[in-house]
Structure formats: structure tokens, C-alpha cells
Amino acid sequence: MSDTATTTRADGTADGTPTRRHRGGGGGLMAGPLGRNLGLVVALVLLCIAGLVTAGDRFADVDNVLTILRLAAVIGVVSVGMTFVIIGGGIDLSVGAIVALSSIWATTLATQAMAADFHWIVMVGTAILVGAACGLVNGVVIAYGKLVAFIATLAMLAAARGLAEIIANRRTQIVQDQSFIRFFSGDVLGIPTLVIIFALVAVLGWVLLNRTRFGRHTFAVGGNAEAARLAGIRVQRHTVYLYVLSGVACGIAAVMLMARTTTGSSTHGTLYELDAIAAVVIGGTLLIGGRGTIVGTVLGVLIFTTLSNVFTLNNLSSSAQAVAKGVIIVLAVLLQQRVANRNPRRRGLRGGTPEAAGTSIPGSPSGTPTPGAAAGPTT
């Protein structure tokens, strides 16, 4: 559809040259976030129907539904943090190891002794601080050390898991504080506390991504880091914030896992990085960055958790589950590539400057001229 787009020159005058807008690759409303999320809802409903047909009352039982939600809650929190990182153009392979290290550090004898003298909030704070510290290291190495995110987070995966094993001496640490277990294992009006925490994290993540300057900057950095820098965004500092945010999410997930298993272990979070990336990709977030939704991620988590539950109720092996997940991930990425290739705007942004693509810089302040020949770089 063609519209008249008003652009602003460096001298402040307006230009009403007709331009062509491309919305989500030209597919209209259903090609946007609404259409993608609707497709995920349909997929989830179809999975539920399959569960009802194959497992009957065992699937529809309230306890089974709550089990699905509890299982989705922990990986869901990790996936929310991963969504921000991937939208920002990065990747984090260390989330599972950070969860393990956070759970180990929060359940050491010293930490639990402090919690016994003061309050179990010490354990919660320790887990979140450890997660944030790991995220900070990732962010600094990637943003200022210029190390590729894949390599940097892969190194953190090995280091964090190894440090967790050293601290715990390869032993499982038991949570002694019963008030901690009661609080996080309880429920509010029949809804498990872990599910409520997941819901709160998802809502806060949605608000941060869609209603704040931080969220706009995240989309801008992921869409075109150089254009974001020219628009005045401190790209390096923002990248550090994204990885710290992911680390905080891992710390929260570690607390939830400690409550669910009553332990801290160096084996916690195994393969969480793959599950989180899969849920984010299924949710419609582009692996190349610049586009994604928290709602899509939540639906992606529920789809994978429900799929695993249906397989388990039908006594299908974990190997079959892994194959099914792999096929779903490949199909999702192929669909993403097709949508991205049909979108000239994204091709222009990835291949050159926004001026060459005929678009404005995402996330730039309202009323600010697009940086060009008359407007030099802003640091």
C-alpha cells in the first residue's frame, strides 16, 4: 500500500514525497505481531486437542494443567531475558550454566547461615546478584572486548558450570530454610507461586520492551547497530544492559528451581539455553535481531511445555520429543527467513544505511532529523 510519508530534511523543511510502506513484508495485519501470535494460539489449541484425544482426562486434569504451568514457569523466565538479548542482535548460550551457578551460590552453607540469621531473602538476593554479575561479564566482553557473542557466552557456559562444580564439590546442596520452600512452593487462590512469578516477569518484560525508551533502543540496536549509534544511542552500554537483564532473569529462574527441587545443583539448567532459544524463535523473534515479542515468547514456552507433556502422557521417549522439537525449530527458522526475505525494509537495514533503504532510523527521538550528510555522527 502506498502512502505519502513526510520526511524531514536537515534544514527542518518537510518533504511530502510519496513513498511505499512495507508492513511486515507486505502481508497486511495478519503478517504483523497479531497474525503471528494468533498462529501460535492456534498451534497451542491444536496441541491441547491432541492431548485430549490421546490422553483424555489425564491431560485435562487440573493437576496436570498446573504441572504444565509450573514446568513452563522456570524456562519461561529465562526465555523472557533471552528475548531481549536476541532482539538486541545477540545470543546467550550461558543461561543454563548461570542458573546452575546462581543456585549453587545461593545454597552454600555460608549463604544459608546468613539467611537463617536474617531472612531467606538473602538467598534470593544472592542468586539474582550472581546472575547479574555473570551477565555483566558477558556484556562487557561482548560490547567492549569486541568478542563475538556466540564465543563469549560459550566461554561463560563452560566457566560458570565448572565454577558451580568446584563450589559444590560436585555435590547437591539441600535447601534447609523451610519458610523459603513454603513460600515459593505455595499458591495464591489456587495458582502456584512460581506461575505468578512467571506472569509478573512476563508482564514487566512486555512493559519494558513496548512502553519504554529501553525497549525502543533494543529494537534499534538489533535492527541496525550503526544506525542506532548515529541516532545517539550508546550501543555498547545498552548491549551490556541486555546481558545483565538476561543474567537477572537467570537468577530469578534459579530461585524458582531451588524452590521446586529444594536443592542447588551444578546440573540445574542443563540445555536451558537450547529450550529458551527455541521458545524465543518459535515466538517470532528474529535471530538476526530487530523484531520480537514477549507474548510470542510466552506462547512458545507453553507450546514446547505442552508438547513435552503430551509426549510424556503417551509414553513416548525423550528422544522422540527431541526430534519433534528439532523439526519445529527448523520450520520456524525457515519461515522467519522467508518473511525476512520478503521484507525490503529489513534487507535495506541489514545491508546498508537507513538512508539507502529509504527509511528512518528505528528508535530515534521524535522530530530528530535522520543523520545524513548534513548531520554528523552523535556519540
Side-chain angles (χ1 to χ4, degrees), residues 6-344:
T6 303
T7 57
T8 306
R9 301 192 188 96
D11 59 3
T13 61
D15 179 16
T17 305
T19 60
R20 181 172 296 275
R21 290 181 185 173
H22 298 275
R23 299 178 185 270
L29 180 63
M30 297 307 293
L34 177 61
R36 292 192 295 270
N37 292 337
L38 182 60
L40 293 172
V41 171
V42 171
L44 182 59
V45 170
L46 291 176
L47 270 178
C48 292
I49 293 174
L52 288 173
V53 171
T54 58
D57 293 338
R58 289 182 301 156
F59 179 82
D61 186 73
V62 174
D63 290 337
N64 184 62
V65 174
L66 292 178
T67 297
I68 293 175
L69 294 176
R70 288 192 189 95
L71 292 174
V74 178
I75 189 62
V77 170
V78 175
S79 299
V80 169
M82 183 71 78
T83 303
F84 279 88
V85 171
I86 294 180
I87 291 176
I91 195 77
D92 192 349
L93 301 181
S94 64
V95 290
I98 294 175
V99 168
L101 180 59
S102 298
S103 73
I104 285 294
W105 213 311
T107 54
T108 59
L109 292 176
T111 305
Q112 294 205 61
M114 292 175 60
D117 292 338
F118 180 65
H119 193 273
W120 53 257
I121 197 69
V122 172
M123 298 169 62
V124 175
T126 299
I128 293 176
L129 286 175
V130 170
C134 292
L136 179 62
V137 172
N138 278 338
V140 170
V141 170
I142 292 168
Y144 295 99
K146 305 299 182 183
L147 198 61
V148 177
F150 182 90
I151 300 300
T153 57
L154 185 63
M156 176 59 73
L157 181 155
R161 187 77 68 180
L163 182 57
E165 293 176 352
I166 292 172
I167 294 174
N169 197 23
R170 294 180 178 270
R171 297 176 181 174
T172 298
Q173 300 176 162
I174 307 299
V175 177
Q176 304 291 341
D177 196 318
Q178 294 302 311
S179 59
F180 171 89
I181 297 174
R182 284 194 300 270
F183 178 83
F184 287 100
S185 299
D187 59 76
V188 178
L189 300 177
I191 303 175
T193 303
L194 297 184
V195 177
I196 294 175
I197 293 174
F198 174 35
L200 290 175
V201 170
V203 170
L204 290 175
W206 185 89
V207 172
L208 184 62
L209 185 63
N210 296 283
R211 292 293 183 266
T212 66
R213 178 179 295 180
F214 182 89
R216 293 192 295 273
H217 287 182
T218 300
F219 283 111
V221 170
N224 190 318
E226 179 61 18
R229 185 187 70 80
L230 294 174
I233 299 173
R234 296 180 180 271
V235 174
Q236 291 176 311
R237 186 172 67 180
H238 191 83
T239 299
V240 174
Y241 289 161
L242 291 176
Y243 283 94
V244 171
L245 181 61
S246 178
V248 169
C250 291
I252 297 172
V255 172
M256 299 167 69
L257 200 55
M258 287 158 48
R260 202 179 76 190
T261 63
T262 69
T263 63
S265 173
S266 59
T267 61
H268 281 339
T270 302
L271 296 181
Y272 270 21
E273 54 277 356
L274 299 183
D275 290 339
I277 292 172
V280 172
V281 170
I282 292 298
T285 298
L286 288 181
L287 282 174
I288 59 176
R291 193 190 78 186
T293 66
I294 297 297
V295 174
T297 295
V298 171
L299 291 172
V301 170
L302 292 176
I303 286 173
F304 272 119
T305 308
T306 304
L307 178 67
S308 297
N309 183 260
V310 171
F311 272 60
T312 301
L313 291 177
N314 287 280
N315 297 319
L316 297 175
S317 67
S318 58
S319 300
Q321 295 182 35
V323 171
K325 287 183 179 180
V327 171
I328 293 173
I329 293 170
V330 169
L331 292 176
V333 173
L334 288 175
L335 181 61
Q336 281 190 2
Q337 290 178 345
R338 182 177 179 182
V339 172
N341 289 335
R342 289 172 55 194
N343 193 333

